[in-house]
Amino acid sequence: MRSATAISHEVDDVFLAARELADSIKKQLVLQQHSLGLIFCDADTDGAALTGELHALLGMEIAGMTTLAALSPQGRHEAAIVLTVLTADDCLFSPGASASLKADDFQDRIARTYQATIPQGGDKGPGVILTFCPFGLSFSGDHYPAVLSRVANNAPVMGGVASDDYDYERARVFLSGKEYQDAMVLVSLWGNVRPVFAIRHVTSRFAERIRRVTEAENNIVRKVGEETFVEYLQGFGLKTDVDDPLLAFNSYPMMLRQGDGDETPIMRHISGLNRADGSGSFVGDVPVGAQANICMINKADIVAACRESMLTLLNEGRAHSDYAYSTILCISCCGRSMILSGDAGEEGRILAEMLPEGLTLGGAYCLGEICPTRYKNGLATNRFHNCSIIFCML
């Protein structure tokens, strides 16, 4: 597989942007038998027109989504468009878009979308599934990796939930001239695909009141240990009488350990508090029996986790010396950007600094990340994350 990345700041003129992007790709890359474009763009961009024009100019499917900010080999970009093109003779890129997921049978619709991307002879399963998910639906983002894991025999899933600039109304996903606010776009990759992954969220700052979740349903937690969730938070000395819990607790997500201990923990942002019954709601599901702890995240933790995860990814790639990697896909949480605040470009600067020569990079800031917490012997434990930075190298 070979790749190239192009950037345009022509957000208002998508036809000019498409020409710039296509010309840049053609100068960098000789297209092989199969190709795919991945696009991350500002929420003000007409993504349907942009991806349709790129589809015509480059002759390939273009999948992607809107983002708070995009990432490239040059760092972080706001009000910009980043296009990564993958091309190969020994890989097949098979995209699909779901029907509206605002339906009771949304799980079946997700499953059918993946099944429609299975090529003839695809019995062994895909090397990886890339996902671009809609924001603001009635169900938890945990359903995306759970359904895809079930129907794709635990193939690894990598992607995120579309975002905007905290407007929460303009997030969209795209596929070759069409845009969706309530549908999912995915691409399954087949053939000579050997992905490696890395994920980090926080490195050292834990409050150390580890308790098991004893009463919960979906994303609502009623009790942790013997305490209500509100009492559990108050035990850390945290003020719970707040108007906007999502904002107030952005730097205090809950870490959950589950499984057999080898699995990377997941993070959950607190989205609401019910002081009448003491429960809390989360951006993502919280299973009964998981070990819970509150983390305290600052800018230094964000920077350290970014470096650590990128280094882990590169070392993992070097361990596969018989395979030539070409590109890195990166998804970071919008909450991390919020914590960085005036230093929001720091993750992008780190990635640009650490990116080895010969590798491209494309990425986005999302409202939820999807990545394996464990991947071994072709089988992945795929999870939905908050407050994390995730990587996939192809």
Side-chain angles (χ1 to χ4, degrees):
M1 187 186 304
R2 298 182 62 211
S3 67
T5 299
I7 308 160
S8 175
H9 294 274
E10 295 291 344
V11 172
D12 295 327
D13 188 339
V14 295
F15 296 99
L16 176 57
R19 289 195 296 274
E20 285 185 351
L21 294 165
D23 287 346
S24 177
I25 293 296
K26 290 175 182 178
K27 289 176 182 176
Q28 299 178 63
L29 200 59
V30 176
L31 297 181
Q32 299 181 8
Q33 185 176 0
H34 305 292
S35 300
L36 170 72
L38 301 175
I39 199 93
F40 300 112
C41 64
D42 184 86
D44 287 332
T45 306
D46 185 344
L50 173 68
T51 57
E53 187 69 7
L54 284 170
H55 175 65
L57 291 171
L58 293 172
M60 66 183 68
E61 299 287 356
I62 310 290
M65 62 184 172
T66 59
T67 175
L68 171 69
L71 296 163
S72 83
Q74 285 73 52
R76 174 183 168 127
H77 307 273
E78 297 180 13
I81 302 163
V82 173
L83 169 68
T84 297
V85 168
L86 313 178
T87 190
D89 289 328
D90 55 0
C91 303
L92 177 65
F93 311 103
S94 185
S98 74
S100 171
L101 299 180
K102 289 183 176 180
D104 292 340
D105 65 341
F106 69 89
Q107 294 189 57
D108 290 338
R109 295 183 179 205
I110 294 171
R112 288 197 296 270
T113 306
Y114 162 71
Q115 289 161 348
T117 71
I118 301 174
Q120 186 174 1
D123 298 337
K124 292 184 178 180
V128 65
I129 302 170
L130 306 180
T131 60
F132 305 93
C133 304
F135 170 75
L137 299 190
S138 61
F139 58 86
S140 164
D142 294 84
H143 287 282
Y144 296 121
V147 172
L148 291 173
S149 295
R150 173 171 53 81
V151 297
N153 298 317
N154 296 309
V157 181
M158 169 76 183
V161 176
S163 61
D164 54 27
D165 55 358
Y166 303 119
D167 182 275
Y168 303 118
E169 294 182 354
R170 296 176 297 136
R172 306 177 314 283
V173 300
F174 312 107
L175 180 59
S176 299
K178 294 184 179 180
E179 70 173 26
Y180 308 91
Q181 282 192 301
D182 58 0
M184 176 186 192
V185 168
L186 64 80
V187 185
S188 56
L189 278 62
W190 306 79
N192 188 22
V193 183
R194 292 169 57 179
V196 294
F197 303 92
I199 176 173
R200 290 291 188 281
H201 23 248
V202 63
T203 57
S204 61
R205 294 165 58 82
F206 307 103
E208 300 298 350
R209 286 189 79 233
I210 301 172
R211 304 286 189 274
R212 288 202 180 271
V213 177
T214 51
E215 189 175 334
E217 183 178 2
N218 299 323
N219 71 323
I220 305 297
V221 175
R222 295 185 177 85
K223 295 189 74 173
V224 179
E226 296 299 318
E227 301 172 302
T228 68
F229 180 71
V230 169
E231 290 170 342
Y232 176 65
L233 282 182
Q234 291 170 342
F236 291 99
L238 296 172
K239 181 182 177 181
T240 57
D241 185 12
V242 295
D243 293 331
D244 186 346
L246 183 60
L247 180 62
F249 293 102
N250 183 52
S251 298
Y252 300 91
M254 189 163 75
M255 176 181 283
L256 298 174
R257 291 187 179 273
Q258 52 193 331
D260 57 13
D262 291 336
E263 185 181 340
T264 302
I266 61 174
M267 302 291 274
R268 287 289 178 260
H269 278 307
I270 301 167
S271 60
L273 296 175
N274 186 329
R275 289 186 292 275
D277 65 10
S279 66
S281 59
F282 288 81
V283 183
D285 290 345
V286 178
V288 171
Q291 286 187 330
N293 195 9
I294 296 296
C295 298
M296 299 171 287
I297 301 178
N298 61 20
K299 293 179 181 181
D301 295 315
I302 297 290
V303 170
C306 179
R307 286 190 181 278
E308 199 174 277
S309 194
M310 183 69 160
L311 182 61
T312 298
L313 182 83
L314 295 176
N315 287 338
E316 181 72 17
R318 293 185 188 106
H320 296 263
S321 57
D322 58 337
Y323 189 87
Y325 286 95
S326 177
T327 194
I328 295 172
L329 302 178
C330 174
I331 302 293
S332 187
C333 179
C334 288
R336 295 169 66 87
S337 180
M338 188 181 296
I339 293 169
L340 285 169
S341 185
D343 297 317
E346 190 62 23
E347 284 190 315
R349 286 192 289 272
I350 291 169
L351 300 182
E353 168 194 312
M354 296 183 69
L355 186 68
E357 186 176 353
L359 281 177
T360 62
L361 182 144
Y365 279 86
C366 289
L367 291 165
E369 310 84 61
I370 298 170
C371 180
T373 51
R374 176 169 46 197
Y375 180 53
K376 189 175 182 180
N377 299 324
L379 299 177
T381 303
N382 298 301
R383 301 290 190 191
F384 177 73
H385 306 271
N386 307 135
C387 209
S388 301
I389 186 167
I390 62 175
F391 295 92
C392 173
M393 188 156 59
L394 296 169

